[in-house]
């Protein structure tokens, strides 16, 4: 699991930029809205699978979401369909 205080900040930034509520992102990613909220607040870590699912739903790169690498805006590609 990845526990990084900046992960929550980037997750909130991407969700805000996408215009999604917690519930909308939860529906799109298959992650519960309460887990997303806990990750954003730094109360819960995230697995690689969770980060990938959130990144795809938010159209950002998983590496950016997890580590702040590679830019975050609208440039994600589903790794299964590169």
């Amino acid at each position: 699991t990845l526990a990084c205080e900046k992960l929550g900040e980037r997750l909130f930034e991407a969700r805000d930029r996408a215009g999604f509520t917690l519930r909308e992102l939860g529906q799109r990613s298959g992650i519960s809205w309460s887990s997303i909220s806990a990750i954003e607040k730094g109360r819960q870590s995230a697995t690689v699978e969770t980060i990938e699912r959130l990144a795809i739903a938010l159209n950002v790169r998983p590496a950016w979401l997890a580590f702040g690498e590679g830019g975050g805006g609208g440039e994600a590609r589903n790794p299964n369909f590169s």
Side-chain angles (χ1 to χ4, degrees):
T1 62
L2 297 171
C4 172
E5 71 181 59
K6 298 291 184 180
L7 168 62
E9 293 175 19
R10 286 188 295 274
L11 178 55
F12 176 80
E13 175 187 333
R15 182 172 64 81
D16 186 57
R17 193 171 37 205
F20 296 153
T21 65
L22 287 167
R23 291 183 191 278
E24 288 170 332
L25 180 54
Q27 290 172 342
R28 290 174 179 265
S29 66
I31 309 296
S32 73
W33 69 267
S34 58
S35 289
I36 296 168
S37 176
I39 294 167
E40 285 184 353
K41 294 175 182 177
R43 295 183 189 150
Q44 181 176 319
S45 58
T47 65
V48 171
E49 179 185 353
T50 296
I51 289 172
E52 288 177 349
R53 290 167 68 178
L54 290 167
I56 289 168
L58 291 164
N59 196 35
V60 298
R61 294 182 183 274
W64 175 81
L65 189 57
F67 306 110
E69 299 174 357
E75 47 194 58
R77 298 292 176 262
N78 185 325
N80 299 318
F81 301 104
S82 297

